[in-house]
Amino acid sequence: MTVSIEQQGEIAVVTVDNPPVNALSQALRQGLLDAAERLDADPSVKAVVLACAGRTFIAGADVGEFGKPPQPPHLPDLVARVERAAKPWVAAIHGSALGGGFEVALGCRFRVAVPSANVGLPEVRLGIVPGAGGTVRLPRLAGVETAVDMVTTGAPLGALKAREAGLIDAVIDGDLIAGAVQFSRKALGRPLPDSLRDRPVAAPAEPFWEATEKTVAARAKREEAPMKALACVRRAAETDFETAIAFERETFLALRGSPQAAALRHVFFAERAATRPPELAGVQPRAIKSTAVIGGGTMGAGIAAALRDAGLPVVLIERDDAQVERGLANLRSIFDGAAKRGRISAVVAAERMAGVTGTADYAALADVDLVIEAVFEDLDVKRDVVGRLSAVCRDDAVLATNTSYLDPERIAEGIGNPGRFLGLHFFSPAHVMKLLEIVPTQATTPEVLATGFALARTLNKVPVRAGISDGFIGNRILKVTRAQAERLLLSGGTPTAVDAAMRAFGLPMGPFEAQDLGGLDIAAFQRKAARARGDTPFAPIADRLCAIERFGQKSGGGWYDYEPGERTPRPSETVAAIIAEEAAGFPHRDWDESSIAECILWPMANEGARILGDGTALRASDIDLVKIHGYGFPLWRGGPMHYAEASGLDKVVDALRALATAGLADPPCELLLEAARRGSFSGVFR
Ligand code: 3HC
Ligand code: NAI
C-alpha cells in the first residue's frame, strides 16, 4: 500500500495505490490521514486532487477487516478530516467509488469522474449500512429521494447519471488527473461551496416516509439492512448532522456483527473465489463470438435468451421445421414477456429475436464458436446429437451439454477431439437464474474449462465447478431435500406445514410447492433410471402420486389440488390418504417450524460434506453458491454449509444423530464429523 504525493504547481495530487481495488485498509486510512495533515501544513499547496492507481478508485472499506475489531484511525474520522481540510479536496474517480470509497469522495469538496466510472453505496448488499457518513452527506448533496434509492438498493449510478443527480461536479473526457488538476485550478478562482456537513437537507413530510417504508420493506423481505439504511437517511433529514452521524455509526457497528452481514460477506468472498479457479490462472479462454443451442424447449430457449441478452448471436437447432417454429416461439415469448414487464423495450426485444437463426440443418453450425445441447434427457439422443456436432463443427469449437443427471463422459464417448467438450449446466429459467455449474470431463482441456468460466462472466452468471456425480452438486442435494421432505410426511408432517416452515426459513417456496410447479415427472423419470442402475432412491409418496398421474400444476394436481386455471395450492384429501397409508407404523412426532427446517437443512449440509469428500465440489462455499443462485436458498442465510457452520457444527451433528436414530435421516458422514471437530469447513476441504 502506498499513498504518494506529487505536486503540480499549487495543486497536490495524492495517489492511492492499494491493489487490487484500493480498499480502505487500516494502513490506507492512516496514510490518507497523514497526507491530509501534511498538505494542510504545506503553504505551497492550495488544493488537493485525490486519485487512485490501478483499475479503480477506492472500492470501499476493506471487507476482510469486518470480522475483526475496528482499528483506528476510523473511517468516519478520516472523512471528517478531509472535509475540514484547509484546502479543497477534489476526488478524481475512475472505475468504482463504492461504499467507504464514495464516502471519502463525499468528504471532498468536489468530485470529478471519467464517463465510465460509477459511484454508489452498496453496503446493504453486505448486510450493513454505510458507516462513514454516507447516509448523512448524500441527502445533503443529492436530496432525500436519491439518497434513499441508492442506500436501500445499493445500486450504483454511472458517471453521467451521477452528474445529472448532482453527485459529481464534472465528467472528464480524456486524462483524468490532468482534467482534475485543471478543474481544481478553476475552482480556486471561485467562491468555494459549503462542505456537505454545512449544507441543509429538505425533510420530506410523513406520507413520503410511510410510502417509502412500505416499498423498501416489500423489496427487502427478510433482509435487515435496507430498512436500517432508510432509518439512517430519515434521521439525517430530521436531526442535526452530528446526531445523524452518531446514529449511522451505531447502526453500522451493530449490523457489522450480525448473522446476516456475516452470511452476505461469506457470499461476497465465495463468489470471487468460485469465479477464478487458481488452477486456471494464466490460461487463456477461447474467444466466443458466435453460438448455437440444440433444442428449443424450456432450457434451450432460456439458454438462447441468456446468450442473446449478452449480445451473442445464436443459431437455434431443432428436430424439424415445425419444432424450429415452436422453439422460436418459446424464445420470442421470453423477450415479449421481458418487454411487457418493462425490462426491455419492444425495439430491443425485436433486436434480440433478430439475432437468432432457427433451422433444422446442422450445416448452419459449421462456423460457430460454442454449441450447447439442451435436447431430451436421454443418453442415446444426446450421444447422437453430440456425434453430429463433432462431425460438423470446427475442430476448435467448444461443445457443451446441459444434462441434469447424465454422465458427460458417456455423452462425449467416441467424439473427435474430446478435449473441447464439457458440461455447462444451466438452471431454469436459464435466462434468469444466476448459477452455471461447469462440469469438466477427464479430457476437457484447461483452455476449454477457462472458456466455460469466461462464458459465465459474459452471461453475468455465477460459475461453480462441479465434478461428475449423479446430479452434480445442486441436484444431488435436491434429491436429499426431497427425501427429507417425504420423511417429514411419514412422521406426522403435512405438505402445508413443511412448505410453510421452509418459507418461514426464507425459501421462496417450500419443497412440495416447488415440485408441483416444476412437475413431478422429471424426478420420477430420473428415479426410474437410478433404479435401473441398482440405486434405491427414496420417494414412496411421490412414486404413488406419479403412478396416478398427479404430476403437479400441469396435471391439475400433485402434492396439492388446484382449481382449473389457478395456481393456489389446496390441501388434497387424496394425498392425505396416501400419506396416511404410507405412514402406517412409522413413529409420529410433533413438528414445529424450526424442527421441520432442521430436518431438511442438516441433511443438506451432510450431503454437502459428502460432495466435498468425493471431490464433486471444491469448496463448501461453492455448495452455498449453488443452492443460493440455482435454488433460491436465501442469500442472507449464506447457503446451507455456511448456515450449518454458523449454527454450530456440533449442534448439527447431534441433531443428525438424533434424526438418524429415529430413522429420519442418514447419520453424519465422516467429513462432517471432522469439520465439527474443527468447528468449521474451512481448512478441512477448501
Ligand atoms: N474489501 C476487500 N477486498 C475487496 C473489496 C473490498 N471492499 N472489493 C473487492 N475486493 C477484492 C475481491 O475479494 C477480489 O479479491 P481476489 O482477487 O483475492 O479474489 C479483488 O478485490 C477483485 O474484486 P472483483 O473480482 O470483484 O473485481 P472486479 O474488477 O470484478 O470488481 C469492484 C471491482 C466493482 C470494486 C467489486 O470488487 C466490488 O463491488 N467490490 C465491493 C465494493 C463494496 O461493496 N464496497 C463497500 C464495502 S463496505 C463499506 O465500504 C463500509 C463503509 O461504509 C464503512
Ligand atoms: P424440453 O423437452 O422442454 O426440450 C427439449 C427439446 O429438445 C425439445 O424441444 C425437442 O424438440 C428438442 N430435441 C430433442 N431431440 C432433438 C434433436 N435430436 N435435435 C434437436 N432438438 C432436439 O426439455 P428441457 O426441460 O428443456 O430439458 C433439456 C435438457 O436440459 C435436458 O437434458 C434436461 O435434463 C436439462 N435441464 C433441464 C432443466 C429443467 O428445469 N427443465 C434444468 C437444467 C437442465
Side-chain angles (χ1 to χ4, degrees):
M1 187 290 294
T2 58
V3 175
S4 57
I5 302 177
E6 177 223 350
Q7 214 158 324
Q8 299 193 14
E10 54 191 7
I11 313 295
V13 179
V14 174
T15 305
V16 167
D17 191 1
N18 188 22
V21 296
N22 295 311
L24 284 154
S25 61
Q26 189 276 339
L28 176 53
R29 298 196 297 274
Q30 187 64 56
L32 282 171
L33 205 58
D34 294 345
E37 295 298 341
R38 193 173 134 195
L39 293 168
D40 263 6
D42 185 342
S44 69
V45 172
K46 299 285 183 264
V48 179
V49 167
L50 172 63
C52 288
R55 69 218 236 200
T56 180
F57 191 77
I58 301 168
D62 187 338
V63 180
E65 285 183 0
F66 280 7
K68 306 166 195 155
Q71 294 292 326
H74 302 299
L75 192 53
D77 300 333
L78 169 63
V79 176
R81 180 67 189 81
V82 168
E83 188 170 52
R84 64 179 157 72
K87 307 146 190 194
W89 282 50
V90 178
I93 301 169
H94 76 290
S96 302
L98 297 177
F102 187 45
E103 290 174 302
V104 170
L106 290 172
C108 295
R109 204 60 69 98
F110 299 101
R111 287 146 297 280
V112 299
V114 294
S116 58
N118 60 68
V119 300
L121 293 169
E123 283 85 344
V124 288
R125 297 182 178 179
L126 292 166
I128 53 175
V129 297
T135 64
V136 187
R137 289 189 179 87
L138 188 54
R140 286 171 160 77
L141 180 65
V144 164
E145 280 193 41
T146 302
V148 163
D149 217 43
M150 288 182 75
V151 302
T152 61
T153 62
L157 283 187
L160 302 179
K161 285 215 166 123
R163 171 84 188 89
E164 267 170 44
L167 304 178
I168 281 177
D169 300 287
V171 174
I172 294 191
D173 284 309
D175 188 295
L176 174 62
I177 306 293
V181 168
Q182 199 182 16
F183 179 95
S184 310
R185 288 207 174 102
K186 273 196 199 147
L188 286 174
R190 295 191 294 259
L192 282 182
D194 285 337
S195 60
L196 293 180
R197 73 162 50 227
D198 297 324
R199 292 195 206 172
V201 50
E206 190 57 37
F208 168 84
W209 295 113
E210 268 174 35
T212 310
E213 271 164 23
K214 270 196 201 134
T215 315
V216 174
R219 205 172 42 214
K221 301 200 179 80
R222 302 266 301 279
E223 287 190 35
E224 294 165 359
M227 287 302 279
K228 303 266 187 192
L230 178 61
C232 289
V233 178
R234 181 164 192 176
R235 194 61 74 98
E238 294 180 345
T239 59
D240 63 278
F241 182 85
E242 293 301 342
T243 309
I245 286 277
F247 179 76
E248 182 203 72
R249 186 72 181 164
E250 195 185 310
T251 310
F252 165 79
L253 288 173
L255 283 178
R256 211 179 81 131
S258 69
Q260 289 199 2
L264 290 165
R265 269 200 307 278
H266 165 76
V267 176
F268 176 84
F269 286 117
E271 285 178 358
R272 275 144 190 91
T275 308
R276 283 188 297 272
E279 74 277 17
L280 292 181
V283 179
Q284 278 307 310
R286 291 187 189 166
I288 301 295
K289 297 218 165 65
S290 57
T291 68
V293 176
I294 318 296
T298 310
M299 290 307 287
I303 294 167
L307 293 166
R308 284 301 299 133
D309 288 348
L312 291 163
V314 177
V315 176
L316 185 68
I317 298 265
E318 262 288 352
R319 287 175 286 172
D320 53 40
D321 289 346
Q323 294 299 329
V324 170
E325 282 316 311
R326 202 184 54 101
L328 290 174
N330 288 343
L331 194 46
R332 195 172 296 113
S333 81
I334 292 177
F335 296 134
D336 288 350
K340 236 181 239 153
R341 284 191 295 278
R343 293 229 177 97
I344 54 173
S345 67
V347 175
V348 170
E351 277 169 15
R352 300 267 156 100
M353 268 321 280
V356 183
T357 311
T359 176
D361 183 0
Y362 278 64
L365 305 176
D367 201 32
V368 293
D369 299 323
L370 165 75
V371 187
I372 303 170
E373 75 73 18
V375 300
F376 299 136
E377 184 77 345
D378 180 298
L379 187 60
D380 292 336
V381 175
K382 286 198 190 286
R383 286 175 63 125
D384 175 55
V385 165
V386 170
R388 291 168 75 180
L389 295 179
S390 90
V392 77
C393 292
R394 276 194 339 253
D395 235 20
D396 63 342
V398 174
L399 308 182
T401 174
N402 182 50
T403 181
S404 307
Y405 289 97
L406 298 173
D407 182 346
E409 300 277 4
R410 299 221 43 213
I411 294 173
E413 249 164 24
I415 67 164
N417 193 1
R420 60 177 160 158
F421 186 84
L422 81 173
L424 291 177
H425 186 210
F426 291 76
F427 289 72
S428 182
H431 57 295
V432 176
M433 298 307 281
K434 300 229 357 160
L435 177 65
L436 183 61
E437 281 183 336
I438 300 189
V439 192
T441 67
Q442 296 278 345
T444 306
T445 65
E447 190 195 8
V448 166
L449 186 57
T451 307
F453 280 86
L455 179 77
R457 196 166 177 102
T458 306
L459 303 187
N460 196 21
K461 304 255 180 237
V462 175
V464 170
R465 183 183 172 146
I468 295 176
S469 74
D470 195 37
F472 309 119
I473 298 174
N475 283 343
R476 211 171 125 180
I477 296 183
L478 180 64
K479 282 187 287 178
V480 170
T481 313
R482 288 186 176 152
Q484 286 308 113
E486 292 214 21
R487 289 194 171 103
L488 279 159
L489 300 186
L490 295 178
S491 58
T494 63
T496 311
V498 172
D499 283 343
M502 295 319 286
R503 266 188 274 107
F505 176 76
L507 285 161
M509 248 183 252
F512 298 114
E513 294 160 320
Q515 288 179 62
D516 273 2
L517 183 65
L520 275 68
D521 45 338
I522 303 170
F525 182 73
Q526 187 271 326
R527 285 196 298 277
K528 196 172 152 196
R531 287 187 183 116
R533 288 195 307 268
D535 290 351
T536 50
F538 178 80
I541 309 171
D543 281 339
R544 286 194 56 185
L545 298 186
C546 289
I548 54 170
E549 298 190 347
R550 289 186 69 100
F551 293 130
Q553 287 188 19
K554 62 183 170 189
S555 65
W559 291 100
Y560 296 97
D561 289 339
Y562 298 88
E563 295 294 320
E566 275 192 18
R567 287 168 172 264
T568 314
R570 295 164 198 278
S572 159
E573 283 177 19
T574 313
V575 174
I578 293 175
I579 294 172
E581 281 172 31
E582 292 295 325
F586 219 89
H588 278 217
R589 53 166 71 183
D590 289 332
W591 294 100
D592 60 13
E593 280 189 348
S594 102
S595 56
I596 287 174
E598 291 186 358
C599 183
I600 289 185
L601 293 164
W602 302 155
M604 284 172 84
N606 199 23
E607 184 65 13
R610 282 197 202 102
I611 282 173
L612 284 167
D614 65 26
T616 301
L618 297 180
R619 312 170 186 89
S621 62
D622 280 359
I623 298 174
D624 288 330
L625 293 180
V626 165
K627 296 318 282 185
I628 288 169
H629 292 302
Y631 299 82
F633 199 97
L635 195 76
W636 50 273
R637 297 276 198 193
M641 306 304 274
H642 173 85
Y643 183 70
E645 197 173 292
S647 304
L649 292 176
D650 279 343
K651 174 182 148 185
V652 172
V653 160
D654 288 348
L656 273 171
R657 283 194 174 121
L659 286 169
T661 306
L664 288 167
D666 287 347
C669 70
E670 195 43 52
L671 289 163
L672 183 62
L673 294 173
E674 190 184 335
R677 281 193 287 275
R678 293 176 179 233
S680 163
F681 287 110
S682 64
V684 183
F685 311 113
R686 274 179 234 165

Coordinates of all heavy atoms in Angstrom, one line a residue, residues 20-21 23 55 59-64 66 75 96 98-100 103 122-123 126 128-132 252 268-269 272 276 457, ligand 1:
P20 N -5.9 -5.0 -4.8 CA -6.4 -4.9 -6.2 C -7.4 -3.7 -6.4 O -7.6 -3.3 -7.5 CB -7.1 -6.2 -6.4 CG -7.5 -6.7 -5.1 CD -6.5 -6.2 -4.1
V21 N -8.1 -3.3 -5.3 CA -9.2 -2.4 -5.5 C -9.1 -1.1 -4.6 O -10.1 -0.4 -4.4 CB -10.6 -3.1 -5.4 CG1 -10.8 -4.1 -6.5 CG2 -10.8 -3.6 -4.0
A23 N -9.0 -0.9 -1.5 CA -9.8 -0.9 -0.3 C -9.2 -0.2 0.9 O -8.0 -0.2 1.0 CB -10.1 -2.4 0.1
R55 N -7.0 -0.3 -11.3 CA -8.2 -0.4 -12.1 C -9.4 0.4 -11.6 O -10.4 0.5 -12.3 CB -8.7 -1.9 -12.2 CG -9.2 -2.5 -10.9 CD -8.7 -3.9 -10.8 NE -9.7 -4.9 -10.7 CZ -9.5 -6.1 -10.2 NH1 -8.3 -6.4 -9.9 NH2 -10.4 -7.0 -10.1
A59 N -12.6 1.2 -3.7 CA -13.9 0.4 -3.8 C -14.6 0.2 -2.5 O -15.6 -0.5 -2.4 CB -13.6 -0.9 -4.5
G60 N -14.1 0.8 -1.4 CA -14.8 0.7 -0.2 C -13.9 0.3 1.0 O -12.7 0.2 0.9
A61 N -14.6 0.2 2.1 CA -13.9 -0.3 3.3 C -13.3 -1.7 3.0 O -13.8 -2.4 2.0 CB -14.8 -0.5 4.5
D62 N -12.3 -2.1 3.7 CA -11.7 -3.5 3.5 C -12.6 -4.5 4.1 O -12.6 -4.7 5.4 CB -10.3 -3.5 4.0 CG -9.6 -4.8 3.7 OD1 -10.3 -5.8 3.4 OD2 -8.3 -4.8 3.7
V63 N -13.4 -5.2 3.3 CA -14.4 -6.1 3.8 C -13.7 -7.2 4.7 O -14.3 -7.7 5.6 CB -15.2 -6.7 2.7 CG1 -16.3 -7.7 3.2 CG2 -15.9 -5.6 1.9
G64 N -12.5 -7.5 4.3 CA -11.8 -8.6 5.1 C -11.5 -8.2 6.5 O -11.3 -9.0 7.4
F66 N -13.8 -6.8 8.4 CA -15.1 -6.6 9.1 C -15.3 -7.7 10.3 O -16.0 -7.4 11.2 CB -16.3 -6.8 8.2 CG -16.5 -5.5 7.4 CD1 -15.7 -4.4 7.5 CD2 -17.6 -5.4 6.6 CE1 -15.9 -3.2 6.8 CE2 -17.9 -4.2 5.9 CZ -17.0 -3.1 6.0
L75 N -12.7 5.2 9.8 CA -13.1 5.8 8.5 C -13.9 7.2 8.7 O -13.6 8.1 8.0 CB -13.8 4.8 7.6 CG -14.0 5.2 6.2 CD1 -12.7 5.6 5.5 CD2 -14.7 4.1 5.4
S96 N -14.7 2.4 -9.9 CA -15.8 2.5 -9.0 C -15.4 3.2 -7.7 O -14.4 2.9 -7.1 CB -16.3 1.1 -8.6 OG -16.6 0.3 -9.7
L98 N -17.0 3.2 -4.4 CA -18.1 2.5 -3.7 C -18.0 2.5 -2.2 O -16.9 2.6 -1.7 CB -18.2 1.0 -4.2 CG -18.5 0.8 -5.6 CD1 -18.4 -0.7 -6.0 CD2 -19.8 1.4 -6.0
G99 N -19.1 2.5 -1.5 CA -19.1 2.4 0.0 C -18.2 3.5 0.6 O -18.3 4.7 0.2
G100 N -17.2 3.0 1.4 CA -16.3 3.9 2.1 C -15.5 4.8 1.0 O -15.2 5.9 1.3
E103 N -17.7 7.5 0.2 CA -17.9 8.3 1.4 C -16.7 9.3 1.5 O -16.8 10.4 1.9 CB -18.0 7.5 2.7 CG -19.4 6.8 2.7 CD -19.6 5.8 3.9 OE1 -18.8 4.9 4.0 OE2 -20.5 6.0 4.7
P122 N -23.1 0.5 -1.8 CA -23.6 -0.9 -1.9 C -23.7 -1.6 -0.6 O -23.9 -2.8 -0.5 CB -22.7 -1.6 -2.8 CG -21.3 -0.9 -2.6 CD -21.7 0.5 -2.2
E123 N -23.5 -0.9 0.6 CA -23.3 -1.6 1.8 C -24.5 -2.6 2.2 O -24.2 -3.7 2.7 CB -23.2 -0.6 3.0 CG -21.9 0.1 3.1 CD -21.7 1.3 2.2 OE1 -22.5 1.5 1.2 OE2 -20.7 2.1 2.4
L126 N -24.0 -6.1 1.6 CA -23.2 -6.8 2.6 C -23.9 -6.9 4.0 O -23.2 -7.2 5.0 CB -21.8 -6.1 2.7 CG -20.9 -6.2 1.4 CD1 -19.8 -5.2 1.5 CD2 -20.4 -7.6 1.3
I128 N -25.0 -4.4 5.8 CA -24.7 -3.3 6.7 C -25.3 -2.0 6.1 O -25.8 -2.0 5.0 CB -23.2 -3.2 6.9 CG1 -22.5 -3.1 5.5 CG2 -22.7 -4.3 7.7 CD1 -21.0 -2.8 5.7
V129 N -25.1 -0.9 6.8 CA -25.4 0.4 6.2 C -24.1 1.1 6.1 O -23.1 0.7 6.7 CB -26.3 1.2 7.1 CG1 -27.7 0.5 7.3 CG2 -25.7 1.4 8.5
P130 N -24.0 2.2 5.3 CA -22.8 3.0 5.2 C -22.4 3.4 6.6 O -23.2 3.7 7.4 CB -23.2 4.2 4.3 CG -24.3 3.7 3.5 CD -25.1 2.7 4.4
G131 N -21.1 3.4 6.9 CA -20.7 3.6 8.2 C -19.8 4.9 8.4 O -19.2 5.1 9.4
A132 N -19.6 5.6 7.3 CA -18.7 6.8 7.4 C -19.4 8.0 6.8 O -18.8 8.8 6.0 CB -17.4 6.5 6.7
F252 N -24.4 1.0 11.9 CA -23.4 0.2 11.1 C -22.6 -0.8 12.0 O -22.5 -2.0 11.6 CB -22.3 1.3 10.6 CG -21.1 0.7 10.1 CD1 -21.0 0.0 8.8 CD2 -19.9 0.7 10.8 CE1 -19.8 -0.5 8.4 CE2 -18.7 0.1 10.4 CZ -18.7 -0.5 9.1
F268 N -20.1 -12.9 -0.7 CA -19.2 -12.0 -1.4 C -17.9 -12.6 -1.8 O -17.5 -12.7 -2.9 CB -19.0 -10.7 -0.6 CG -18.0 -9.7 -1.2 CD1 -18.5 -8.8 -2.1 CD2 -16.7 -9.7 -0.9 CE1 -17.6 -7.9 -2.7 CE2 -15.8 -8.8 -1.4 CZ -16.3 -7.8 -2.4
F269 N -17.2 -13.2 -0.7 CA -15.9 -13.8 -1.0 C -16.1 -15.1 -1.7 O -15.3 -15.5 -2.5 CB -15.2 -14.0 0.3 CG -14.6 -12.7 0.8 CD1 -15.0 -12.1 2.0 CD2 -13.7 -11.9 0.1 CE1 -14.5 -10.9 2.5 CE2 -13.2 -10.7 0.5 CZ -13.6 -10.2 1.8
R272 N -16.3 -14.6 -5.4 CA -15.0 -14.2 -6.0 C -14.1 -15.5 -6.1 O -13.4 -15.7 -7.1 CB -14.4 -13.1 -5.3 CG -14.9 -11.8 -5.9 CD -15.1 -10.7 -4.9 NE -15.9 -9.6 -5.5 CZ -17.2 -9.5 -5.5 NH1 -17.9 -10.4 -4.9 NH2 -17.8 -8.5 -6.2
R276 N -12.7 -17.5 -10.0 CA -11.3 -17.6 -10.6 C -10.6 -18.8 -10.0 O -9.8 -18.7 -9.0 CB -10.5 -16.3 -10.2 CG -10.9 -15.1 -11.0 CD -10.0 -14.0 -10.7 NE -10.1 -13.6 -9.4 CZ -11.0 -12.6 -8.9 NH1 -11.7 -12.1 -9.8 NH2 -11.0 -12.3 -7.7
R457 N -19.0 -15.3 -17.1 CA -18.8 -13.9 -16.8 C -19.6 -13.0 -17.9 O -20.3 -12.1 -17.6 CB -17.3 -13.5 -16.8 CG -17.0 -12.2 -16.2 CD -15.5 -12.0 -16.0 NE -15.2 -10.7 -15.5 CZ -15.0 -10.4 -14.2 NH1 -15.0 -11.4 -13.3 NH2 -14.7 -9.2 -13.8
Ligands
3HC1 N1 -12.6 -5.2 0.5 C1 -11.7 -6.2 0.4 N2 -11.5 -6.8 -0.8 C2 -12.2 -6.5 -1.8 C3 -13.2 -5.4 -1.8 C4 -13.4 -4.8 -0.5 N3 -14.2 -3.8 -0.4 N4 -13.7 -5.3 -3.0 C5 -13.1 -6.2 -3.8 N5 -12.2 -6.9 -3.1 C6 -11.3 -7.9 -3.6 C7 -12.0 -9.1 -4.1 O1 -12.2 -10.0 -3.0 C8 -11.1 -9.7 -5.1 O2 -10.1 -10.4 -4.4 P1 -9.3 -11.7 -5.0 O3 -8.7 -11.2 -6.3 O4 -8.4 -12.1 -4.0 O5 -10.5 -12.7 -5.3 C9 -10.5 -8.5 -5.7 O6 -10.7 -7.4 -4.8 C10 -11.1 -8.1 -7.0 O7 -12.5 -8.0 -6.9 P2 -13.5 -8.4 -8.1 O8 -13.2 -9.7 -8.6 O9 -14.9 -8.1 -7.5 O10 -13.1 -7.3 -9.2 P3 -13.9 -6.6 -10.3 O11 -13.0 -5.7 -11.0 O12 -14.8 -7.5 -10.9 O13 -14.9 -5.6 -9.4 C11 -15.5 -3.9 -7.8 C12 -14.4 -4.5 -8.8 C13 -16.6 -3.4 -8.6 C14 -14.8 -2.9 -7.0 C15 -16.0 -5.1 -6.9 O14 -14.9 -5.8 -6.3 C16 -16.9 -4.7 -5.8 O15 -18.1 -4.4 -6.0 N6 -16.4 -4.6 -4.5 C17 -17.1 -4.4 -3.3 C18 -17.5 -3.0 -3.2 C19 -18.2 -2.8 -1.9 O16 -19.1 -3.5 -1.5 N7 -17.8 -1.7 -1.2 C20 -18.4 -1.4 0.1 C21 -17.7 -2.0 1.2 S1 -18.5 -1.8 2.8 C22 -18.0 -0.2 3.2 O17 -17.4 0.5 2.5 C23 -18.4 0.2 4.5 C24 -18.3 1.7 4.8 O18 -19.5 2.4 4.6 C25 -17.8 2.0 6.2

